Amino acid sequence: MLTYSNSLSVEDYCELRSSVGWTPLIEAQARSGLEHSDFVISCREGTHTVGCARVFWDKGYIAYLADVMVLPAYQRQGIGKRLVSECIRYVDAQLKDGWKIKIVIVSTKGREKFYERFGFTIRPNDKEGAGMNMWREA
Ligand SMILES: CC(C)(COP(=O)(O)OP(=O)(O)OC[C@H]1O[C@@H](n2cnc3c(N)ncnc32)[C@H](O)[C@@H]1OP(=O)(O)O)[C@@H](O)C(=O)NCCC(=O)NCCS
């Protein structure tokens, strides 16, 4: 049975990153990122963590959706959809009268359609350029 909770260990987070082929992080940095997330959601089957997602919010108008990951063997079973839905629900719960919050996601290549289903718009488009990012390293 799948269960969802707001806890996620550093070990499980790093295992998820590795399972989807993302850049490994040293434990201290992974821990810091998790501790400073505004919202974390994870999915477990028994004690095995099979998916996660998290949100950072500036307490104003920008929220960033990050680390949406589902173990390859558990993909296409609706887990990612539930994880992202919970993140959007978290952001919606922060809205006050007259507020608007923009949720930003940098989609991995080929996953854009997954996000479009929630209402995210693909960039670049008529009004917005491509999303951009860069890594800085010590
Ligand atoms: C992207 C990811 C989180 C999706 O998780 P998932 O659990 O497989 O997704 P779901 O099963 O909840 O799928 C939800 C819907 O999106 C669709 N979908 C899932 N992956 C898709 C893809 N790669 N392309 C297009 N549609 C996709 C499903 O068919 C489903 O459609 P439905 O609601 O009509 O049935 C997962 O593929 C993953 O972890 N990928 C590796 C890490 C990654 O790239 N994460 C995205 C970071 S930006």
Side-chain angles (χ1 to χ4, degrees):
M1 191 184 72
L2 297 174
T3 56
Y4 292 81
S5 81
N6 298 117
S7 66
L8 177 62
S9 73
V10 180
E11 296 72 26
D12 290 351
Y13 169 69
C14 290
E15 188 193 318
L16 280 166
R17 286 189 72 92
S18 151
S19 81
V20 298
W22 286 358
T23 309
L25 299 173
I26 60 170
E27 191 187 317
Q29 190 178 14
R31 184 182 304 283
S32 179
L34 283 178
E35 284 175 359
H36 292 92
S37 301
D38 292 290
F39 179 79
V40 174
I41 178 99
S42 65
C43 175
R44 290 189 183 81
E45 185 175 53
T47 56
H48 189 207
T49 300
V50 300
C52 74
R54 57 196 185 113
V55 175
F56 323 107
W57 171 50
D58 72 345
K59 314 300 179 287
Y61 87 103
I62 286 283
Y64 186 89
L65 173 59
D67 292 336
V68 182
M69 302 182 265
V70 175
L71 286 181
Y74 288 81
Q75 291 176 9
R76 300 282 184 154
Q77 297 175 35
I79 296 172
K81 189 176 183 173
R82 171 77 185 268
L83 292 168
V84 173
S85 299
E86 295 290 339
C87 289
I88 294 171
R89 200 190 321 271
Y90 164 79
V91 172
D92 285 351
Q94 314 311 315
L95 287 166
K96 299 176 185 169
D97 275 355
W99 283 39
K100 51 185 113 178
I101 298 178
K102 175 157 89 172
I103 307 177
V104 177
I105 174 76
V106 177
S107 174
T108 46
K109 201 154 186 68
R111 297 313 205 271
E112 296 87 348
K113 289 258 174 287
F114 168 75
Y115 290 107
E116 266 191 311
R117 289 161 193 253
F118 298 94
F120 288 91
T121 49
I122 290 186
R123 301 179 65 155
N125 53 50
D126 288 348
K127 290 188 186 155
E128 300 166 305
M132 297 169 76
N133 53 259
M134 68 172 169
W135 285 93
R136 310 289 292 166
E137 282 186 52

